[in-house]
């Protein structure tokens, strides 16, 4: 597998997921802040929008962090980062895997850009509703599906970690403790080490 990656971007999630997966892969650094690097033909074939992360796995090409996590969890079940079709927990697995890119990210945009709240019209609800819903989901813990760490924890954990870093998290013991649990994982720490390299 080949992961197109750039430090201090959303590619962190995909690198963390690859480290959780524990399979060999190549990490190809693409500086997305540099137009020439973004124009690299091999990269653009993998990522039509010129964004990271992007993953190539044989004939499979994926260019969204949520899709990458979902694909890897399903394609490599031995890693036990997914929930098989037919398992009653599959619904919650899908719901929370999509929650980051569908709800958390646009809700952060609302907060950062100070946009007016319109819970009725905005598909993501609002920043406060996003936080309350995520907190409710993690109340039992320790992970979003309960006792087992799964792919959505990579996406949600990255989001909570970065919200904490950028001081966007309200005083919320459930989410702070979750961020700490995520940071304690060796795979998280390996992916974080790439960021600094
Ligand atoms: N939906 C994508 C968004 C990826 C994305 O926007 N990545 C940014 C870096 S954080 C990027 O590559 N930006 C470069 C550009 O758009 O020119 C995902 O989550 O994978």
């Amino acid at each position: 597998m080949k992961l197109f990656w750039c430090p201090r971007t959303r590619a962190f999630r995909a690198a963390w997921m690859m480290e959780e997966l524990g399979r060999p892969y190549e990490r190809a650094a693409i500086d997305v802040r540099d137009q020439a690097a973004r124009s690299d033909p091999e990269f653009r074939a993998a990522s039509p929008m010129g964004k990271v992360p992007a993953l190539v796995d044989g004939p499979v090409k994926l260019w969204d962090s949520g899709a990458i996590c979902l694909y890897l969890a399903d394609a490599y079940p031995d890693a036990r980062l997914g929930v098989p079709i037919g398992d009653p927990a599959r619904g919650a697995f899908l719901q929370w895997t999509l929650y980051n890119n569908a709800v958390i990210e646009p809700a952060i945009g609302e907060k950062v850009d100070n946009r007016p709240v319109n819970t009725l019209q905005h598909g993501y609800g609002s920043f406060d509703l996003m936080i309350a819903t995520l907190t409710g989901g993690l109340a039992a813990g320790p992970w979003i599906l309960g006792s087992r760490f799964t792919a959505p924890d990579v996406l949600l954990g990255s989001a909570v970690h970065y919200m904490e870093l950028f001081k966007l998290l309200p005083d919320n013991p459930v989410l702070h403790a979750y961020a700490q649990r995520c940071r304690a994982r060796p795979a998280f720490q390996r992916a974080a080490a790439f960021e600094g390299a």
Side-chain angles (χ1 to χ4, degrees):
M1 283 186 269
K2 184 164 184 170
L3 176 68
F4 292 94
W5 164 95
C6 177
R8 292 174 294 286
T9 66
R10 291 170 174 91
F12 171 77
R13 308 159 189 171
W16 178 14
M17 181 70 185
M18 295 305 294
E19 293 297 318
E20 293 284 354
L21 199 73
R23 289 196 161 238
Y25 71 102
E26 177 191 345
R27 208 175 53 255
I30 293 284
D31 184 357
V32 286
R33 296 154 187 115
D34 171 27
Q35 280 309 318
R38 284 183 73 236
S39 307
D40 175 77
E42 190 197 351
F43 171 56
R44 293 312 286 255
S47 180
M49 294 179 82
K51 286 179 174 289
V52 290
L55 181 76
V56 177
D57 184 12
V60 177
K61 290 184 172 65
L62 295 142
W63 32 283
D64 177 75
S65 56
I68 288 170
C69 288
L70 186 51
Y71 167 78
L72 291 171
D74 281 349
Y76 298 98
D78 291 357
R80 295 199 23 89
L81 293 167
V83 175
I85 292 173
D87 187 313
R90 176 79 181 177
F93 168 76
L94 291 174
Q95 186 64 62
W96 289 114
T97 301
L98 298 184
Y99 193 74
N100 183 59
N101 289 9
V103 179
I104 298 181
E105 288 215 0
I108 289 175
E110 173 193 278
K111 180 85 172 170
V112 170
D113 299 341
N114 208 15
R115 288 201 299 266
V117 173
N118 188 339
T119 310
L120 190 66
Q121 279 191 3
H122 294 155
Y124 58 84
S126 68
F127 183 83
D128 290 348
L129 180 58
M130 174 276 282
I131 291 286
T133 308
L134 182 58
T135 305
L138 285 164
W143 306 113
I144 194 67
L145 297 187
S147 58
R148 184 161 65 91
F149 180 94
T150 55
D153 288 302
V154 170
L155 295 158
L156 302 174
S158 301
V160 172
H161 166 69
Y162 278 104
M163 280 194 282
E164 201 174 72
L165 219 59
F166 290 107
K167 310 226 176 306
L168 290 170
L169 264 196
D171 193 13
N172 182 312
V174 170
L175 296 187
H176 285 301
Y178 180 62
Q180 271 169 14
R181 279 195 293 281
C182 289
R183 284 191 289 264
R185 294 185 72 81
F188 179 104
Q189 289 166 14
R190 287 196 296 276
F194 306 149
E195 299 279 294

